[in-house]
Amino acid sequence: MKHQTGIIQILIAVIGLSCGCTGEKLLDEPVPEGPVEVHFFSSAIPTRAEGVAAGTDKLTADAKVRIYAYRKKAGETKATATNNYTVTTAADGGTQSLSPAAPASGTASEMILPSGTFNFYAVSTNSAETAVPDFPTDKASDGVPTDEYTTIDAKNGIDYLYAAVPEQKIAFGTKKAEIPLTFRHAGTQVQLTIIFGDGAHAGSNDAAQNFNLARVTIQPTTELNAKMHLYNGEIRFGNLLSGSPGSADTADFKQMSVVTSGTVANGSTTPANQVATCHLLPLAKATSQKMGIKIEIGNLVVGGSGAQPLTRTYTGELDASAGWLAGTSNQYTLTLSGTEIKFSTVTVVPWTSGTGGEVGNITDTTPTGDSTTP
């Protein structure tokens, strides 16, 4: 019996050697074991861009994205891999994929990972020009970035986007893994729509057709102690999820981007509406809280016949008593019509959720005889 058992064991060993693999390997044939190439694509993000209804939208073309991969494993104290990407959109305008960005020296390459379970964290500035902040990668506990140390200083003027894909398994023998990323806004957005009227207009139809964009600046949220956390994408001020108002000095205001919305009717001297947008750090709610805003509009005719085009300067207050919370778009309207200058009640279109308030105390601070253009 012992002799027969020995023969059986030898046969099993010979069969195993001839296969050159284990029983687990047989299940994975014909794809060999080895590293896995990981591809990423973006799904929709909540949005409120000018001309786009509240709902979902795509990332900005060529937006910069950085992805951090952490392998969930006992004793892992740092990220397994990081890679930079740019956003590319399919020819049919559908799915957006992420293409590896080439380093300063070298060529672009996809992320290559071993098998295992990973957490993926993606951060973007939703911009082709603004660099993605570089989070530390050497502080992790069992493959999870530490909440306290894996942070960057958060700044106003940046549309921080964040996505996380937890517990993603990368399997042996998989030639390519496709990972979807659903982004959300980590900061807040403020929009001001400027509406011109019969008593506040351009000097002619041609001037209305070529009307200058306004220069709009806004009081920002303080940046003191503002940190963005890689673990969950939150922007926090110490232990708080929103900050206090920044400097009320107009010299410290943050410039808003301005675009034209709509068209000018034939023969009309009324310019098309303009929409100013700024991304800020979340602002905490506070009773009777006001945030300053300043608007400079060049070549604007205010008044009846004989009035000359001037650069008009208006200052006002935005009612922010309900705060400008993370993930919300807070929208105001400034209506100019002769001597009537009016801010509307704010409308809050949520990227995720939020509330709003009112605006008031608008003042025309145009110096007498000013005829410059911003």
Side-chain angles (χ1 to χ4, degrees):
M1 179 65 69
K2 290 183 179 179
H3 179 69
Q4 291 175 336
T5 302
I7 292 174
I8 292 171
Q9 290 173 338
I10 292 171
L11 288 172
I12 291 173
V14 170
I15 292 170
L17 289 171
S18 65
C19 290
C21 55
T22 64
E24 179 183 44
K25 180 67 179 223
L26 286 171
L27 295 176
D28 289 337
E29 290 294 353
V31 181
E33 283 186 16
V36 179
E37 185 175 288
V38 183
H39 291 202
F40 301 90
F41 63 94
S42 170
S43 56
I45 56 172
T47 189
R48 175 56 175 87
E50 175 52 32
V52 180
T56 58
D57 192 21
K58 301 181 184 303
L59 278 77
T60 300
D62 299 322
K64 299 178 185 296
V65 180
R66 179 173 293 131
I67 297 178
Y68 301 80
Y70 285 79
R71 189 177 186 182
K72 290 199 66 178
K73 184 179 179 181
E76 290 286 335
T77 59
K78 60 182 180 180
T80 306
T82 63
N83 211 3
N84 294 321
Y85 298 84
T86 55
V87 175
T88 58
T89 305
D92 60 1
T95 301
Q96 291 185 302
S97 60
L98 273 62
S99 300
S105 59
T107 58
S109 61
E110 297 287 358
M111 183 178 287
I112 305 296
L113 295 174
S115 64
T117 300
F118 288 83
N119 289 337
F120 294 96
Y121 306 91
V123 180
S124 175
T125 55
N126 205 18
S127 166
E129 292 80 30
T130 305
V132 180
D134 194 2
F135 285 84
T137 58
D138 60 345
K139 301 292 184 181
S141 175
D142 295 337
V144 177
T146 58
D147 186 49
E148 181 179 1
Y149 297 108
T150 313
T151 64
I152 53 94
D153 293 332
K155 304 293 183 182
N156 288 300
I158 299 175
D159 183 13
Y160 292 106
L161 298 180
Y162 175 84
V165 182
E167 304 286 339
Q168 183 72 36
K169 292 185 178 180
I170 303 298
F172 279 123
T174 303
K175 285 186 176 180
K176 183 173 67 175
E178 299 283 353
I179 309 296
L181 299 171
T182 301
F183 286 93
R184 61 177 172 83
H185 297 274
T188 190
Q189 182 191 74
V190 179
Q191 283 192 331
L192 175 71
T193 300
I194 302 170
I195 301 176
F196 301 93
D198 293 338
H201 53 83
S204 65
N205 177 253
D206 183 65
Q209 296 280 358
N210 299 282
F211 203 71
N212 294 316
L213 293 176
R215 185 178 188 275
V216 186
T217 55
I218 187 171
Q219 183 180 355
T221 309
T222 182
E223 295 179 350
L224 184 64
N225 298 324
K227 301 283 186 181
M228 184 176 181
H229 295 249
L230 184 62
Y231 173 70
N232 55 15
E234 290 179 347
I235 293 176
R236 298 207 297 263
F237 303 76
N239 293 323
L240 303 176
L241 290 174
S242 46
S244 57
S247 170
D249 187 337
T250 56
D252 298 325
F253 281 14
K254 197 74 180 176
Q255 187 164 347
M256 305 178 76
S257 62
V258 182
V259 297
T260 298
S261 175
T263 58
V264 177
N266 290 334
S268 174
T269 60
T270 302
N273 295 346
Q274 296 186 11
V275 179
T277 303
C278 193
H279 293 93
L280 298 173
L281 301 177
L283 177 71
K285 62 181 180 180
T287 303
S288 302
Q289 179 171 254
K290 307 291 184 183
M291 297 292 283
I293 193 164
K294 181 179 179 181
I295 306 103
E296 299 171 71
I297 306 174
N299 296 325
L300 185 66
V301 178
V302 176
S305 60
Q308 296 299 311
L310 296 175
T311 292
R312 315 294 301 200
T313 301
Y314 303 98
T315 57
E317 295 177 333
L318 308 179
D319 186 342
S321 56
W324 294 334
L325 306 183
T328 62
S329 178
N330 306 275
Q331 299 163 47
Y332 301 84
T333 301
L334 170 62
T335 302
L336 302 173
S337 181
T339 57
E340 182 181 10
I341 305 166
K342 184 175 63 176
F343 273 114
S344 71
T345 299
V346 68
T347 301
V348 179
V349 178
W351 289 335
T352 52
S353 63
T355 57
E358 293 185 348
V359 190
N361 295 334
I362 186 71
T363 304
D364 184 344
T365 58
T366 305
T368 303
D370 188 352
S371 59
T372 59
T373 300

